[in-house]
Amino acid sequence: MTYGLALLIDDDPVFRALTEDMLLDAGVGAVEMAENGLEALARLDGGLAPDLLVCDLNMPAHDGVSLIRSLAERNFPGKVLIISGEASAVIEAVANLARMQNLNIIGSIRKPLSMDALTDVLNRAVPVQKRYGGFAPAQPALLDAAIDRGALHPFFQAKVCMKTGRIAGAEALARIAVTQNEFANPVPYIELAESTNKIDELTLSLSRVVAHHVKRYFVHGNPMPVSINISPLSLARRDFPDQIAAALETNGLSPAQVTLEVTETRLMEYGPDALETMTRMRIKGFGLSVDDFGTGYSNIDRLRMFPFTELKIDQTFTRNVFTDNFARAAVETSVRLAKELGLKIVAEGIETPEMWHYLAGLGIDEGQGYLMAYPLAPPDFVELLARGIAPIQGLKRA
Ligand code: C2E
Ligand code: CA
Ligand code: CA
């Protein structure tokens, strides 16, 4: 991937000059420089908008660690590359700190910097996340319109079989219609629905629309499997499995075709009520997926307690397998765990052919990600079903 403008921050003028040359040789359009974090922040606050920030960690005024915090506070949208002479464990810890604060770290390189290491990191970097309408705060009136008056729309993202490269099913992702052609990201609306006790209604309303579409979708002659996200709060409601089964069945969809996804983030907090609800979901015929796996620190015993059928590796791990040893270890451990428990394993956030091949090589069953398909509005998804996904570079079709 190519960058238009990089901001290089290092207190050593010789290193700055050398690195500037290397960045330009690697295809970066232009390079601006700052001597320390404070100067860099002043330039950013003054309107400089680099799409790549290259920084040292050990600098006299406002070191790299403080700079990372300040960048996170400003929601810096560009990519960040750390180049430092510190021990690898220190560099990796800072990179993890940055990731935890949602900065977009593309890698870390230990000095001395080589052209190979630099081009490697720059070329491996993944495209910027594409969002629908951004993350504007939720409007309460729109939430009500979504639940009651048809402003809630499912987009469908293909789940692709990693052996054959063919569509195996889809995940329904909620979108809120702001105008006829503009859709808001669901996250603020889901949080608002959760805090105002409307999340069950939202999920049921979405499920009705999902069923309406999906009953007409087929993959290779069979009814298409679909996944729906469930809030952990709904697990506290005993009649929720009946309600969601009814919402789907009214519109002609059987629970046997549906997998419900619950996040692992709060699995450690799930008690007997949640276990009871999940068990009832399985009895009704739903599949049950543990979503965002790796974010919740649950161990194998905890996982074994719940009747899951699928494990979905969180996209932060997928995205960082090539830049972060911890992410790679988390992915490999999750695969072993899923196999031991007999769960289907899905990886989300696949953005490059390299990621696909690495994950397919680990024996992951299904993949989801922008490489294969974005979440699509129903008419676009129907077209995708007819056309199939574009061949993955280097994958022979079975
Ligand atoms: P999630 O369940 O983890 O869904 C995956 C998210 O990753 C989706 O974001 C999807 O658009 C995005 N994504 C898919 N492939 C890629 C990729 O290759 N790269 C990157 N960077 N991102 C990718 P989305 O649609 O914005 O949804 C965000 C979250 O909102 C979902 O995360 C889910 O937790 C929640 N959500 C969405 N719809 C519903 C719903 O109906 N009910 C509930 N309770 N939560 C929902
Ligand atoms: Ca999900
Ligand atoms: Ca997820």
Side-chain angles (χ1 to χ4, degrees), residues 33 146 201 302 306:
M33 288 187 276
E201 286 171 77
R302 188 79 194 161
F306 294 89

Side-chain angles (χ1 to χ4, degrees), residues 2 18 69 74-76 94 120 126-127 184 201 204 224 226-227 248 310 370 376 397:
T2 51
L18 283 174
R69 182 164 19 81
R74 286 165 174 75
N75 291 321
F76 177 69
V94 176
D120 199 37
V126 295
E201 286 171 77
L204 295 174
M224 187 190 78
V226 66
S227 301
L248 296 164
E310 178 186 283
Y370 294 167
L376 300 171
R397 282 279 166 107

Side-chain angles (χ1 to χ4, degrees), residues 140-141 143-144 147-148 189-205 233-234 237:
L143 175 64
D144 293 336
I147 295 171
D148 302 327
Y189 286 89
I190 283 150
E191 286 169 358
L192 180 65
E194 287 183 334
S195 64
T196 53
N197 222 354
K198 292 179 181 168
I199 187 66
D200 294 338
E201 286 171 77
L202 183 145
T203 310
L204 295 174
S205 176
L233 297 183
S234 299
R237 201 169 124 179

Side-chain angles (χ1 to χ4, degrees), residues 134-203:
F135 276 84
Q139 305 171 36
L142 256 187
L143 175 64
D144 293 336
I147 295 171
D148 302 327
R149 293 188 297 282
L152 183 63
H153 297 267
F155 273 37
F156 292 97
Q157 185 176 36
K159 288 172 83 179
V160 180
C161 169
M162 297 200 81
K163 287 203 186 73
T164 62
R166 288 187 170 156
I167 297 177
E171 175 176 5
L173 292 156
R175 296 289 179 271
I176 315 288
V178 180
T179 63
Q180 210 171 8
N181 294 316
E182 197 193 338
F183 296 95
N185 185 278
V187 174
Y189 286 89
I190 283 150
E191 286 169 358
L192 180 65
E194 287 183 334
S195 64
T196 53
N197 222 354
K198 292 179 181 168
I199 187 66
D200 294 338
E201 286 171 77
L202 183 145
T203 310

Side-chain angles (χ1 to χ4, degrees), residues 262-270 290-292 295-297:
V262 278
T263 180
E264 194 235 1
T265 318
R266 288 160 55 185
L267 189 64
M268 292 306 276
E269 296 162 28
Y270 297 164
V290 52
D291 199 0
D292 309 324
T295 58
Y297 311 103

